[in-house]
Every structure is written in C-alpha cells, then in structure tokens.
Amino acid sequence: MSPYDVEYLKDPERSTKKDNFVLVGILVHSGNAESGHYYSYIRERPADSEDDFSWVEYNDADVGRFDPANIPDQCFGGLNEPMAFSTMRFPKTWNAYMLFYQRASSMEHDRQTHLPILAGNPVKEHIPAELENRIVTENELFIRKFCLFDAEHAKFIKHLLDHFRNLNRNDCSEGHILEKEVLWLTLEHLDQVFSRAKDCPEFHIVLNIVTKIVSACPECCKITLDWVSHQSNALRNLLLRSPDEEIRRKFAKMVISGLKFLRDNESHEYGVDIDTFEREPPSESTLLSAIPQDGGALHDIIRRLKEFWQYLHLHSRAWDDYYELCAGIAQLGRVECAIMHREGFLTQCLQVLVADYNHTLIKRLRLDNPPLAHYFRMLDKGRKFSFKQLLALLAILLRCADFGTECADDIYARGSRFLFAHGYPLRRQEEALIRFGETPRSKGLVFLDKAIGGEHNTAACQTIVRILTLAEPVLQLSAAIQLTLICGVNIDPASGARPYLQVALAFCETCANSRIVKHLLSGIAEEVETIGHSGGEDHLDFFKMARRIRNESLVKLDPAFFHSTVLKLVPRWAPTLLIYPDPNVRQDTIALLHTLVFSLDIRNMDDEEKADEVEDVAKQLCTSCLKRIQESVIMPNKQIEARTVEEIVRVVRVCIETYFEEEDGDSPSQFLLESEAILDRLQSLTVSSPDDALSGEYDSDEGATDYSENYA
C-alpha cells in the first residue's frame, strides 16, 4: 500500500518501504437483499511461521477448521456447479460481504512477541478471570448440549425408565422422590431434544412408557402434569413448536390420558370432584360454589392452553394438535366443557371463524383483540390454517350449551344449576357471533359459512347444524342456516359445493319446518343448472340421499315427504345431469329417474293422486329436457358428441311415448311436432367423436347420429 500513503503522494521521488497487507478475515452473506445469514472465515494469528497458518469458520455456535483453498468457491459468488444428471447452473446465494486485512509488519511483530507454548497449537493469551470463567461455562454447556442430542442419551433415558421401578419391585417409592427425578429428567429430554428434532426413533418408545406410568399411579400422573403445566415453555415446545407432527399428536394424547386417569381416580389432584356433579348433583345451597375456580391439574392445563392464544397464530402447522387437545379435554364431560366455556374457548373459536369478514363490527373486534388482529394479518398474507379440530371443539362446546336461557356474561353469578339441567348459557358476544350475518340482505351466518366452506371437518359442521336446528324454535336460526347453505352451494367451481350439500342433508334431518326444508331442496335443485363441468356427482348423490331422509317431525305429517319433494323437483335437477360430461353421472341419473318415475305403472296404480303426480313430473321433465337441449346445444349452434346427449334423448323419447297422447286420432299435437323438430335439429348437430366436434370443417349431414333407430 506504500504507493498510496500520504508520504509517497507528497514526494513520489522519496524512497519508501513496502507496506503489505494480508487477508485475515472474510464476512460472508448467504441469502438475498431482503433476508439472509452472516458467518465468517478468520485466519488464526499469530502463527508459528509465515507459511504455517490455519483458518477457522465461525457460523453461530458451529466453529471448525476451514481450508483456505475453498475461498474462491465459498466467497467469490458466480454460478454453482451443476448437479448430477443435470447441466443447469444457478447463481450462488452466498458471497463475500466484507474483507478484513491486517498490516503484514504488525502480524510479524505479533508472531515474534507471542510464541505458542506447543508447536502447532494456538497462542494462549491472558484474559481476565471473569471472562475466562464465562468461556469455560459456555463450553461446558455446549458439550452438555452436544451430549444431550447424542442418540445414546435417548437410549439412556429409555433404559432409565425401564428399570427405575424395579428398585422397588414395581412399586413407587415413599414420597415419590425417585419417580419425580426420573420423570422430570425424561420430560426435560422430551422438551430439549424431541421437541426440536425430526426422526427421533426413541421418542415413541419413551412417551409410551411415560403414558403407562401416568396411567398407573395418581402421584406419578400429578408429577407429570405439574411439569407440563408449570414449565414455562415445555407445553408450547412439544405441542406447538415441534416440527414433527407425530410428536405433537402423541404428546397431546399423553396429556389427555393423564387427565382422564386423575379424573377417575384422584379428584382432589384433578381439581374437580366429578362424583359431585355427574352422579350426585349438588343441592341448592352449594350451587354458587359448585365448580372450583382454581387448583388441580385440569384448571392448570386449561389455563396454560388459554395463554397460548396470544401467539397461536405463529404456529399454524400445530393448530390441529392444539385444538385436538382442547377438544379431548372438553370431551371428558360436561364439567370440563363448563370450565372451558368459563375460560372463553367458545368465544375464541367463534372469533377465529369470523375474523376475516369485512364488516365494521368485525374490524372493531380485531382492534380490541390483538391476537385476533395478528391472526387476520397472517390470513391476509396468505397463511393457511386448518379448522379441523377447532370445529370439533366448537361442536362439543355447543352441544353442552343451553340456548333456552337468557344470555349472561357471567354465568356463575346466576348459579351453576344450568350446568346440570340444560347446559351453560351463552355469553352475549357468543350469541352475537353465532347470529352474525342472519339479516335478509346477507348471505347467511358468517361463522357457519367459514366453517363449511373450507371443507375442514364436514362431520363437525353437520353436528353443529344439528345442534342449532334442534334448538328451534328458541334460536330461530333455521331460515338463516338455509340461506347459508343455498348461498354456499352456489359456488364456482361447483365441486366446492360438496361440504354444503353434505351439511344440508344434516339440516334436513333435524329441521321441523317443512316450508324451510322445501325451500332448501328447491334452491339446491335450481343451482344444478349452473354447475358446468364439475360437481355433478355430488349433486346427484345429494338427491339420492335426500329422498331417503328420516326426519321424525316431518314424517309424522307426511311419511313420504322427502321422496315426494325430490320427485317434484326432478324437472329442475335432472336435465343438467343427463348431459353432464361424466358418463357415470348420466347413467346414475337415468337409474334414479327409473326409480322415481319410469318404474311406476301409472295406469295400474291404486292411488290416483300419486299417479297424477308422477305423470305431471314426467311431462315437466320432458319439457325441461327439451328446453335444456335448446339452450345448451341448438341456440348456440354447438356441435356435441352423440354419447353426451344419448341419455337425455332417451328420457325425452320415453316421456313422449309414455305420458303424451296424440290428439284427434293420428294427428300429432303441436307439442309433439315441436319436440320432433328439436330432436331433429339436435341430430344434425351431433358428431360421433370428440375429434369431429373440434374440427373446423363439419358437414351436418355427415357423421351425425340417427336417433330414430335408437329410440323408436
């Protein structure tokens, strides 16, 4: 650097000494302009000689030797080497970000001043005792951590669990001191190792042993659940943070097993005397204090789960595991449901379902609830969340609700008798969230539409609808539920209507209002015309199952209510399915029409009213099929494959021959003449293969299918 220093620039004629600098450090950035990671390569100095030196890589806690011959590959950027069986090369995502140089003369001075104690070893510098102790401590912790993650440590934990009870001949020790030490050591290993890693073969064995232990001794069970509820991050690590789905799920099951064991065997440690509530209901004098507010494993676990709401949005992959644990607790009994309702789990489930709805009230709700606002922002960024177990929890909590009691924000101020006779009353906000969107101008209940639409858990949605429908006439939500289902069925693509159709069947099974049920079935039949090329099988299955529904309330009025209703709607839903692209759907539609209409001999039926009904339906079906042919093929002058219209033409022919009579002897009616004209025009537009339909040149008289022989 001597030609560039101040002295040389002042007097270039002046002789100068060489002033060389040596590369001693490289700071590397891996990533892109928005994010990434930094690490360093540093040359050790002083060295024994100028030619004898080494480099070290510092990458967070990972420190190791680095070969300087790799500097061009690791620091110069450029393109990476092609992988096996490929010639593609891509720009490297790592590159030198900053270079560090040291004056060569100062390095030589340091080498002469600081000599290593042993050749080949780094120089040992004197450092303050406080700093040296800190380094020693950190190194010791690093070695412990290294050993902790060693596969042999997991085997040690397993053998420890296997053998510690043998010391007391399979009995627990007095005071459970040994059991506590072993269980906590095992649980700490679960937390520190298994919650942070994938592919842990020993995890399942260890957790199975722990589950057996907590299911055999109340005190061991309490020790385990105390650790779960009182260790600050243990439950979060194993239930939310663990990258292994199997670890999260099995750990949640272990917690449920422990709670169930305490519930059945040690009510004091559990926190609630179940016998008092489920077998011997409390007297009037103990109603207000019937359910304890604190104490016991149940309350501790539930409140720890409640604390997770503030950062649950950060763990989207663990939502099913979290809510599955909550649902498992709620499923233990009505008392557990009541405690979870008291802690606000029903409110939280409903808030999650409506959080992304664009409405002033929901925006205000997000402002008042920061975790809900964070969750909404994650949704807005495209993050996906599963509602499968959330809906299972919601169904369980609603099953234990008392819809007939006036809403109350503090149900325990009113006494706990509701918990045993009918269930717990809803909070005002909970009822408002359930009813949100029931106005005539909306598209139905917001929470229900969100629950059904993603097809997260259709069975749970069916249960929720049954619960709400059976609560009539108290709730008066049947019309709103019906509107939600009809609007949901009207979706593009029509394959998305599947969960709404399945939930609609559950609604029809429980709704006691025949007018609303008929309106729902009619609305779904109307929507069939718009399904296009998807959803045909789902809609056909709906009508197959709808005609067999057993609704006790409606069957009392009319034993054939659903069969008759589906029959009357045939002209609306059948024509579209008869020309659906999938041949299986077309053939199954023919089979269903045969059952509903064509298999009945109306001329020999004893029930004239029924015969007239079938005849009217057949005539309307014929008219609807002809209309569908005109709208779909003839009016747009569209070429169509013969096989696609084979079933609908067959239905028209059968209807004309069976249910329409010629006027004035041999003179055909105007309707029959028009029908033949439509079928003739259809024949001129049909082709024998899809390739002919796609061809630019087409002669309507050549390649057309003659239906006269097939249906004469």
Side-chain angles (χ1 to χ4, degrees):
M1 294 292 292
S2 55
Y4 307 100
D5 60 17
V6 175
E7 287 76 9
Y8 180 82
L9 294 175
K10 286 181 178 179
D11 185 6
E13 300 298 328
R14 178 182 176 184
S15 62
T16 58
K17 296 181 180 180
K18 289 185 177 181
D19 190 13
N20 294 331
F21 283 76
V22 179
L23 179 69
V24 295
I26 306 171
L27 178 61
V28 179
H29 177 261
S30 175
N32 54 42
E34 297 180 350
S35 63
H37 175 64
Y38 291 95
Y39 52 96
S40 299
Y41 300 119
I42 301 176
R43 174 175 170 168
E44 278 191 301
R45 58 202 189 278
D48 291 346
S49 66
E50 185 175 346
D51 299 326
D52 184 18
F53 61 87
S54 61
W55 284 70
V56 181
E57 177 182 357
Y58 294 86
N59 191 341
D60 290 343
D62 296 328
V63 180
R65 293 292 179 184
F66 174 70
D67 185 353
N70 292 327
I71 288 179
D73 179 59
Q74 296 296 321
C75 305
F76 288 3
L79 300 177
N80 62 6
E81 293 300 320
M83 300 180 65
F85 309 109
S86 174
T87 59
M88 298 291 292
R89 302 181 66 186
F90 300 95
K92 295 178 181 178
T93 58
W94 60 92
N95 199 355
Y97 179 75
M98 187 179 295
L99 305 178
F100 296 84
Y101 289 85
Q102 184 176 354
R103 182 172 274 113
S105 58
S106 68
M107 292 178 62
E108 179 61 23
H109 178 268
D110 290 342
R111 191 175 68 82
Q112 297 296 335
T113 306
H114 302 87
L115 297 176
I117 298 175
L118 295 175
N121 288 347
V123 173
K124 184 175 178 65
E125 280 287 325
H126 174 74
I127 56 177
E130 181 180 355
L131 179 58
E132 184 174 14
N133 291 336
R134 180 178 175 182
I135 293 173
V136 170
T137 301
E138 289 183 354
N139 287 339
E140 182 179 346
L141 291 175
F142 177 79
I143 294 173
R144 287 184 180 182
K145 184 177 179 181
F146 178 82
C147 295
L148 186 66
F149 282 89
D150 189 273
E152 295 301 318
H153 191 268
K155 295 179 181 178
F156 164 73
I157 295 292
K158 173 185 173 297
H159 290 304
L160 188 64
L161 281 173
D162 281 336
H163 298 297
F164 87 95
R165 296 193 61 159
N166 295 336
L167 297 175
N168 292 306
R169 298 179 180 178
N170 288 327
D171 291 328
C172 293
S173 63
E174 185 176 353
H176 280 77
I177 297 175
L178 176 62
E179 286 75 12
K180 183 175 181 178
E181 292 293 334
V182 173
L183 284 172
W184 278 45
L185 176 62
T186 301
L187 294 168
E188 288 290 344
H189 186 79
L190 291 175
D191 176 27
Q192 297 297 321
V193 179
F194 292 147
S195 69
R196 292 168 165 79
K198 284 188 175 183
D199 302 323
C200 303
E202 301 292 333
F203 167 80
H204 309 291
I205 301 173
V206 170
L207 195 59
N208 286 338
I209 297 173
V210 173
T211 303
K212 290 180 180 178
I213 292 173
V214 302
S215 300
C217 171
E219 187 61 31
C220 289
C221 184
K222 183 64 167 60
I223 289 171
T224 302
L225 294 180
D226 277 347
W227 180 88
V228 170
S229 58
H230 292 102
Q231 289 296 100
S232 59
N233 289 317
L235 184 58
R236 184 181 179 186
N237 288 340
L238 287 161
L239 184 64
L240 301 182
R241 286 176 170 162
S242 174
D244 192 320
E245 179 183 358
E246 193 73 5
I247 289 177
R248 301 194 302 267
R249 186 176 60 83
K250 287 200 170 184
F251 179 76
K253 286 190 174 182
M254 186 271 288
V255 174
I256 292 293
S257 298
L259 288 173
K260 191 175 187 305
F261 181 76
L262 284 185
R263 186 182 197 269
D264 297 336
N265 296 278
E266 193 63 51
S267 59
H268 175 70
E269 300 292 354
Y270 186 62
V272 179
D273 186 356
I274 299 300
D275 289 341
T276 303
F277 295 98
E278 296 189 347
R279 299 180 182 88
E280 299 177 7
S283 62
E284 288 292 330
S285 61
T286 61
L287 284 176
L288 291 176
S289 59
I291 294 184
Q293 301 286 327
D294 295 293
L298 176 64
H299 297 86
D300 293 340
I301 295 293
I302 288 177
R303 289 186 176 170
R304 180 50 62 94
L305 291 173
K306 180 181 177 180
E307 292 173 4
F308 291 168
W309 293 351
Q310 58 184 315
Y311 37 69
L312 192 58
H313 61 279
L314 299 175
H315 306 285
S316 58
R317 68 184 174 187
W319 269 43
D320 277 346
D321 307 291
Y322 171 81
Y323 283 108
E324 185 176 17
L325 176 55
C326 295
I329 295 173
Q331 211 161 14
L332 292 174
R334 288 193 296 170
V335 174
E336 288 80 2
C337 276
I339 296 174
M340 296 193 76
H341 177 264
R342 181 180 67 195
E343 297 299 328
F345 279 82
L346 177 58
T347 306
Q348 193 257 357
C349 289
L350 293 169
Q351 287 177 344
V352 166
L353 291 173
V354 304
D356 61 340
Y357 190 68
N358 186 21
H359 189 278
T360 305
L361 293 178
I362 303 302
K363 291 178 181 178
R364 189 179 306 155
L365 178 65
R366 293 198 296 263
L367 289 175
D368 296 337
N369 190 331
L372 200 64
H374 294 319
Y375 162 69
F376 171 73
R377 282 194 286 270
M378 300 293 280
L379 286 177
D380 200 39
K381 292 179 179 178
R383 180 72 62 87
K384 301 295 182 182
F385 295 85
S386 172
F387 296 154
K388 179 179 179 180
Q389 296 301 330
L390 181 149
L391 294 173
L393 172 62
L394 180 60
I396 296 169
L397 295 177
L398 287 176
R399 189 184 295 123
C400 296
D402 177 14
F403 299 104
T405 304
E406 180 184 354
C407 292
D409 288 336
D410 186 359
I411 64 173
Y412 293 92
R414 301 168 56 87
S416 58
R417 59 184 177 277
F418 305 110
L419 300 174
F420 312 105
H422 306 292
Y424 48 78
L426 299 178
R427 292 179 172 87
R428 290 185 177 87
Q429 187 187 50
E430 290 165 349
E431 184 177 23
L433 290 171
I434 290 174
R435 293 186 176 278
F436 193 74
E438 67 172 331
T439 58
R441 290 181 295 177
S442 72
K443 293 185 178 181
L445 303 178
V446 173
F447 97 94
L448 186 59
D449 181 61
K450 183 72 172 182
I452 301 172
E455 203 170 358
H456 300 276
N457 190 339
T458 302
C461 292
Q462 289 176 318
T463 301
I464 292 170
V465 165
R466 289 189 183 102
I467 292 169
L468 298 178
T469 308
L470 290 173
E472 298 294 284
V474 175
L475 280 181
Q476 297 185 354
L477 282 178
S478 291
I481 295 173
Q482 169 230 271
L483 177 61
T484 307
L485 295 173
I486 291 179
C487 292
V489 169
N490 183 18
I491 189 173
D492 187 21
S495 57
R498 181 189 303 110
Y500 292 95
L501 294 170
Q502 294 174 346
V503 174
L505 291 170
F507 177 77
C508 292
E509 291 172 359
T510 49
C511 181
N513 190 317
S514 60
R515 180 185 59 82
I516 290 178
V517 171
K518 284 183 178 180
H519 193 275
L520 174 61
L521 294 173
S522 177
I524 294 174
E526 292 287 352
E527 292 299 332
V528 173
E529 186 177 348
T530 66
I531 64 174
H533 296 333
S534 65
E537 183 178 1
D538 300 322
H539 285 76
L540 180 60
D541 288 342
F542 171 80
F543 290 108
K544 283 182 182 178
M545 300 178 69
R547 58 179 286 266
R548 297 193 182 97
I549 289 177
R550 295 287 300 176
N551 182 322
E552 297 301 328
S553 300
L554 299 181
V555 165
K556 291 178 182 178
L557 302 176
D558 180 4
F561 174 82
F562 285 99
H563 180 91
S564 178
T565 303
V566 172
L567 173 63
K568 292 176 182 178
L569 293 173
V570 161
R572 300 188 188 180
W573 56 261
T576 299
L577 298 179
L578 287 170
I579 59 172
Y580 190 73
D582 186 348
N584 293 324
V585 172
R586 300 197 301 268
Q587 293 165 11
D588 289 347
T589 303
I590 288 286
L592 182 55
L593 290 177
H594 178 78
T595 302
L596 291 170
V597 182
F598 301 137
S599 63
L600 304 176
D601 185 359
I602 61 174
R603 293 178 177 81
N604 296 317
M605 290 177 64
D606 295 331
D607 189 341
E608 293 184 3
E609 184 177 348
K610 177 66 174 177
D612 291 340
E613 180 183 54
V614 173
E615 183 178 8
D616 289 341
V617 168
K619 289 181 177 181
Q620 293 176 31
L621 173 61
C622 182
T623 304
S624 299
C625 288
L626 291 169
K627 181 181 178 182
R628 187 65 177 164
I629 291 171
Q630 284 185 299
E631 293 176 347
S632 301
V633 182
I634 296 176
M635 292 178 65
N637 199 30
K638 175 184 175 183
Q639 299 170 8
I640 190 167
E641 189 180 2
R643 289 179 297 180
T644 305
V645 295
E646 187 175 313
E647 286 78 11
I648 196 169
V649 172
R650 183 191 309 170
V651 168
V652 171
R653 292 289 189 191
V654 171
C655 288
I656 290 175
E657 293 172 2
T658 308
Y659 304 101
F660 289 89
E661 297 180 357
E662 295 182 350
E663 299 177 356
D664 301 328
D666 296 333
S667 301
S669 66
Q670 182 64 28
F671 173 78
L672 296 179
L673 292 173
E674 293 175 356
S675 301
E676 289 299 330
I678 293 173
L679 294 180
D680 289 343
R681 179 57 179 152
L682 174 63
Q683 178 182 338
S684 68
L685 292 172
T686 56
V687 293
S688 57
S689 68
D691 293 336
D692 293 334
L694 295 173
S695 174
E697 298 179 359
Y698 174 70
D699 184 352
S700 62
D701 294 329
E702 185 177 324
T705 302
D706 186 0
Y707 293 111
S708 59
E709 295 182 0
N710 296 336
Y711 302 101

